[in-house]
């Protein structure tokens, strides 16, 4: 399967699982000059910026290496940009999650990294 198609399928799976868990999807594939965030969701009074990592050729234990500090910084800066453009979310608690998908294995790591926004 092509990498782009695999990633899209993983994002679809993640969005579906988030909705099933009662979260509201605010945006998908949000882009700014700083980078992209795969999914932005609401859970109560928390706005969650979510990176989805989908791989078919690695074990689940290897997926944690897909989000290095440089990628985290891009996500954080993009989140700050989103919040500056969408003030209605600015007083909410902010969380950064990563969802790892490998075939039918799904791992949602809440609060995967932090930054004061």
């Amino acid at each position: 399967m092509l990498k782009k198609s695999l990633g899209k399928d993983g994002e679809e799976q993640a969005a579906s699982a988030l909705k099933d868990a009662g979260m509201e999807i605010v945006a998908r594939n949000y882009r700014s000059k700083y980078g992209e965030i795969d999914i932005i969701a609401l859970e109560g009074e928390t706005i969650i910026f979510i990176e989805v990592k989908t791989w078919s050729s690695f074990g689940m234990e290897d997926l944690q290496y897909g989000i290095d500090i440089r990628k985290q910084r891009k996500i954080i800066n993009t989140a700050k940009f989103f919040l500056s453009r969408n003030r209605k979310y600015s007083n909410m608690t902010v969380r950064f999650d990563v969802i790892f998908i490998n075939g039918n294995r799904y791992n949602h790591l809440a609060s995967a990294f932090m930054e004061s926004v």
Side-chain angles (χ1 to χ4, degrees), residues 68-109:
D68 62 15
I69 194 71
R70 187 173 40 198
K71 180 67 173 175
Q72 290 176 29
R73 180 66 43 211
K74 284 183 176 186
I75 293 168
I76 290 165
N77 287 335
T78 304
K80 288 179 179 180
F81 183 83
F82 174 86
L83 293 172
S84 74
R85 298 290 189 262
N86 297 275
R87 297 252 181 229
K88 67 181 178 181
Y89 303 114
S90 63
N91 290 327
M92 293 185 154
T93 301
V94 174
R95 196 171 85 202
F96 297 95
D97 292 5
V98 179
I99 294 176
F100 301 111
I101 299 173
N102 183 326
N104 63 353
R105 296 170 65 196
Y106 176 95
N107 184 14
H108 183 161
L109 181 58

